[in-house]
Amino acid sequence: MSQSTYRTPKGTHDVLPEEQRYMTYIKKAVRHRARQAGYQRIDTPIFERRDIFERGIGEHTDIVEKELFIVSAKKQDESDDTELALRPEFTAGVCRSYIEHAMDQLPQPVELYSIGQLFRHDRPQKGRYRQFHQFNFEIIGIKDPSLDAQLIQVMVRIFNDLKILKRLNLQINNIGLPENRQAYVEALKEFFIGKERNLPELDRARLATNPLRLLDSKEEDTQILIKSAPQLEQFLDNESKEYHATVLEYLQELGIAYQENPRLVRGLDYYTQTVFEFWDESTGAQNAVGGGGRYDGLIELLGGKPTPGIGFAGGMERIIWHMKEAGVEAPHKDQVDVFVAQLGPEAKKQCLTLISRLRDKGVHTIGALGEASLKSQLRHADRFGAKYTLLLGQMEVKEGTTIMRDMAAGKQKQIKFDDAVETVTQLLVEKNLDTYSLKDALGDVDED
Ligand code: HAM
């Protein structure tokens, strides 16, 4: 690392080319599974009115209380005074969009997915950033336990595609309806009367603002107390209990392993009934790679008609960490097929044409167009892992030839300059070295 004064801001990171390979691979798996299951892509703005998040996610959640990035800009005129915030998650924005574009008029449910950056002004630590990436799925408009199970199945498929499913553990719970939770919160507060002093400071504050969060507190003292506290399960209505049992039955039908966790509550207030998270099998909750749940009251809260919804988001940085830990390589298309080396001004000129003709054929080609010696150009070709090198010196230019070197075999031969493109292309196809580029050079553009 160089000693420059400028660094990425705290909690952010550059996605360097090596990391991009993983990002691209994850996006591919996500798009593939999304299309298979009928989800369509939606991109909402990176910033929204801050009250969309405040109302949706909940005023007493960590995300809203501590982690919102408020956007300030110079006012152009008086109508410019809405306060904006960078999105800390996708769901509230997607629901805002569902209402704004009257998506209730479309065939229901509306199934949408997104991929992109989110911002939370959290304390940075391993796997916790201030700018990070998620892929996000939402099913809006119809409520049925089979949709909960199918959504979870899409996530399972993606984790399986990325070869990290075995490292994860699906935790699932049903947190009931808001009125169930209200009654439970009262009981919990009553239980803690006289016991507050035994709670760590953070949890004492939570007891006042968001008591449910005590259930998944990481503090040992709180966990011990919670064991003898009333259980949320006892406060659930029959519909929620039945709904939960049916979701579990469908998961079994689909062969999806899960662990019931009556203390799973999640950190966003909009959830109702089904909630779930994928935990790291070895470390547990701290580094969930994804989570989601049902939010049947959110659209109404944001000004729409009562509309059910369920969704999920996966944290891409954490997924990449798991892939690397598991030794999963991300297949990529950044290989160099041909390196073109040259000596002398005339050769350089001809190389420009040669390179562009090869590229037009879909062959990944780079060329050394500087003044380096032939030896150092060949070293370069090696470092790039080029399969073939085409060499063009003054002699070759005069003779209308080029030297073609097979880098792996270390053998070379002279061929006609005019045949070079055809010969190399043929060889790449014959040796099956070309996995895709010649076949669909233009058709296979990576989407963002
Ligand atoms: P969430 O649990 O807040 O849910 O975030 C989902 C995932 O995003 C987490 O499990 C984690 O992998 C990743 N993540 C969250 N915060 C950070 C961070 N600071 N740094 C790195 N990764 C992070 C939601 O966001 C909900 N909107 C999911 C949802 C969609 N529920 C319904 N629909």
Side-chain angles (χ1 to χ4, degrees), residues 162-392:
L162 300 174
K163 303 187 182 70
I164 59 165
L165 185 61
K166 285 201 180 73
R167 303 174 59 87
L168 308 178
N169 187 316
L170 168 61
Q171 305 276 314
I172 187 162
N173 191 20
N174 186 305
I175 57 169
L177 304 172
E179 51 269 32
N180 305 151
R181 281 201 303 284
Q182 193 51 44
Y184 177 61
V185 161
E186 295 305 323
L188 209 54
K189 280 187 172 164
E190 199 156 307
F191 169 81
F192 274 105
I193 290 175
K195 302 189 184 71
E196 298 96 332
R197 277 176 301 117
N198 303 327
L199 285 174
E201 202 182 315
L202 179 71
D203 283 344
R204 217 176 309 147
R206 278 182 169 156
L207 183 61
T209 56
N210 198 351
L212 270 191
R213 287 318 306 262
L214 294 183
L215 293 194
D216 63 1
S217 167
K218 312 222 159 66
E219 303 282 348
E220 212 174 314
D221 289 348
T222 313
Q223 283 179 11
I224 292 169
L225 278 169
I226 279 291
K227 279 206 181 108
S228 49
Q231 304 291 312
L232 174 57
E233 220 178 338
Q234 299 158 351
F235 290 77
L236 296 192
D237 62 305
N238 285 338
E239 197 260 321
S240 293
K241 283 185 195 157
E242 271 166 36
Y243 194 90
H244 190 51
T246 316
V247 172
L248 299 185
E249 201 183 311
Y250 289 159
L251 287 177
Q252 284 160 23
E253 172 67 25
L254 293 171
I256 295 169
Y258 60 84
Q259 208 170 330
E260 272 192 90
N261 180 348
R263 301 234 193 102
L264 185 73
V265 289
R266 310 259 306 130
L268 303 98
D269 279 358
Y270 51 59
Y271 290 117
T272 49
Q273 301 194 323
T274 310
V275 290
F276 55 94
E277 280 183 357
F278 285 87
W279 286 5
D280 181 332
E281 181 76 60
S282 55
T283 62
Q286 289 92 327
N287 280 314
V289 299
R294 188 153 273 298
Y295 48 87
D296 295 339
L298 179 57
I299 296 209
E300 196 179 0
L301 202 69
L302 294 176
K305 288 189 285 194
T307 311
I310 185 167
F312 170 96
M316 291 169 66
E317 280 77 6
R318 293 187 192 176
I319 290 171
I320 292 177
W321 183 85
H322 274 284
M323 289 170 74
K324 286 182 176 171
E325 281 291 297
V328 179
E329 290 200 17
H332 63 89
K333 302 177 174 183
D334 299 335
Q335 96 290 352
V336 173
D337 300 322
V338 175
F339 188 93
V340 177
Q342 51 78 33
L343 263 191
E346 195 51 37
K348 183 168 176 170
K349 213 161 98 187
Q350 291 200 9
C351 275
L352 285 176
T353 320
L354 185 60
I355 291 170
S356 72
R357 281 173 54 204
L358 282 163
R359 287 180 182 167
D360 282 347
K361 281 262 176 185
V363 178
H364 293 195
T365 313
I366 56 173
L369 296 174
E371 308 291 322
S373 71
L374 217 45
K375 203 166 148 201
S376 93
Q377 291 186 48
L378 280 176
R379 256 205 315 270
H380 241 72
D382 249 346
R383 281 190 59 191
F384 280 111
K387 283 145 202 155
Y388 291 96
T389 297
L390 291 172
L391 279 158
L392 209 63

Side-chain angles (χ1 to χ4, degrees), residues 54-215:
E54 287 164 344
R55 300 198 75 186
I57 298 167
E59 280 184 65
H60 293 299
T61 55
D62 283 351
I63 299 181
V64 166
E65 255 178 7
K66 306 187 207 140
E67 299 167 12
L68 270 194
F69 273 92
I70 305 299
V71 180
S72 59
K74 281 203 181 119
K75 271 194 193 180
Q76 308 287 337
D77 62 60
E78 281 316 302
S79 67
D80 242 8
D81 59 358
T82 354
E83 289 214 51
L84 304 167
L86 297 183
R87 62 184 184 197
E89 59 123 32
F90 283 109
T91 314
V94 171
C95 288
R96 190 264 313 131
S97 179
Y98 179 92
I99 303 167
E100 184 172 341
H101 299 284
M103 291 190 211
D104 60 335
Q105 302 303 311
L106 302 173
Q108 306 291 305
V110 173
E111 300 192 322
L112 300 167
Y113 79 101
S114 308
I115 305 174
Q117 287 98 332
L118 293 312
F119 305 84
R120 295 185 190 179
H121 199 267
D122 208 345
R123 206 151 34 92
Q125 47 189 287
K126 184 175 158 272
R128 196 169 287 285
Y129 303 97
R130 290 184 173 171
Q131 177 176 340
F132 60 97
H133 295 74
Q134 280 183 352
F135 56 81
N136 183 82
F137 287 71
E138 312 288 358
I139 307 177
I140 308 177
I142 287 182
K143 177 176 176 182
D144 191 277
S146 62
L147 294 174
D148 302 34
Q150 279 188 320
L151 174 83
I152 292 174
Q153 191 192 27
V154 171
M155 302 309 129
V156 167
R157 285 267 156 84
I158 292 172
F159 291 138
N160 194 41
D161 291 343
L162 300 174
K163 303 187 182 70
I164 59 165
L165 185 61
K166 285 201 180 73
R167 303 174 59 87
L168 308 178
N169 187 316
L170 168 61
Q171 305 276 314
I172 187 162
N173 191 20
N174 186 305
I175 57 169
L177 304 172
E179 51 269 32
N180 305 151
R181 281 201 303 284
Q182 193 51 44
Y184 177 61
V185 161
E186 295 305 323
L188 209 54
K189 280 187 172 164
E190 199 156 307
F191 169 81
F192 274 105
I193 290 175
K195 302 189 184 71
E196 298 96 332
R197 277 176 301 117
N198 303 327
L199 285 174
E201 202 182 315
L202 179 71
D203 283 344
R204 217 176 309 147
R206 278 182 169 156
L207 183 61
T209 56
N210 198 351
L212 270 191
R213 287 318 306 262
L214 294 183
L215 293 194

